Amino acid sequence: MAIEVRIPTILRQYTGGAKAVEGAGDTLADLLTNLDTAHPGLRARLITAEGGLHRFVNVYVNDEDVRFLGALDAKLDDGDTVTILPAVAGG
Amino acid sequence: MLTISRDLVDAIVAHARRDHPDEACGIVAGAAGSDTPTRHVPMLNAERSPTFYRFDSMEQLRVWREMDDRDEEPVVIYHSHTATEAYPSRTDTSLAGEPRAHYMLVSTRDPEQDEIRSYRIVDGSVTEEPVRVIDAKVDPAAVTTYMFGQNQAQVDYECSAG
């Protein structure tokens, strides 16, 4: 099952500079575990020590923010596109 | 150095003034690799707060996709400080996620005086840079006086000391 994952500039150090990579998984959590094999370090930038999705990373499945889809439990299907963007935020 | 047109600076400052006392935020997109900001996109501050800002996640996806389609990148990412100087806060520094962007800060603390400054923020380290404002509308044939090394169509703002 192939899912396209779009990688932001700041995380391309983990993908050899690639803007998009392919992964597999039934949920976002599975996908991130799967991606970490080919791209070690990527998962740790997205998931906190407590095991939740990092607050200042936005992850989308197709056109939806995964926060509205169950976060790491968000279901994925073949052909979905997952987009990762650093939140733009500050004080 | 950030080189940016007067029109864009005026539009950013106007946005910051309009949203005061909440923080305003947005980007100026430009052709990828050009380092030239051309297209102003004011963004919603999803926090609607005088002390914090965050792009609305759905609006950010739409704007980032649009930039992708047009082969653009966020050349400038700006936000305002409404009660403090135009210098990145600790949160600004730790959350900065676009190492190639110019982070512009606008302070609206003084209702009369605009304060704009620009920074690179890479891996938690802040470097201030000069801002060169180009006034495209100046008539180059107009008679003006100016200092050696300057001309009537551009103003350089040096970094503040410290």
Side-chain angles (χ1 to χ4, degrees), chain A residues 6 9-10 12 19 55-58 60 62-65 67-68 83 85-91, chain B residues 23 51-55 57-58 60-61 64-65 68 77 79 81 89 91-92 95 97-100:
Chain A
R6 304 189 63 87
T9 313
I10 196 164
R12 288 181 197 158
K19 289 170 80 165
R55 192 176 155 214
F56 291 104
V57 173
N58 297 332
Y60 310 86
N62 303 322
D63 294 331
E64 285 291 327
D65 187 327
R67 287 184 185 85
F68 306 119
T83 304
L85 292 181
V88 181
Chain B
E23 292 194 5
T51 55
F52 201 76
Y53 82 98
R54 180 177 185 144
F55 286 7
S57 71
M58 295 313 295
Q60 189 186 346
L61 177 66
W64 256 243
R65 279 208 181 135
D68 240 15
I77 295 176
H79 75 282
H81 283 174
S89 65
T91 348
D92 294 335
L95 296 180
E98 296 284 351
R100 294 198 299 210

Side-chain angles (χ1 to χ4, degrees), chain B residues 8-9 15 30-31 41 65 79-80 100 106 131 140 143 147-148 151:
Chain B
L8 288 168
V9 171
H15 179 207
V41 187
R65 279 208 181 135
H79 75 282
S80 62
R100 294 198 299 210
V106 181
V131 178
V143 177
M147 309 271 283
F148 177 77
N151 67 54

Side-chain angles (χ1 to χ4, degrees), chain B residues 2 4 9 12-13 76-79 81 84-88 102-107 109 114-120 126-131 133 157-162:
Chain B
L2 168 64
I4 185 168
V9 171
I12 290 168
V13 170
V76 173
I77 295 176
Y78 70 88
H79 75 282
H81 283 174
T84 56
E85 67 172 331
Y87 190 86
H102 300 270
Y103 282 89
M104 182 187 271
L105 276 103
V106 181
S107 176
R109 62 181 165 173
D114 300 332
E115 191 185 336
I116 56 156
R117 292 164 72 179
S118 181
Y119 308 86
R120 296 287 192 171
V126 177
T127 311
E128 185 164 11
E129 59 183 0
V131 178
V133 177
Y157 295 92
E158 291 304 325
C159 304
S160 310

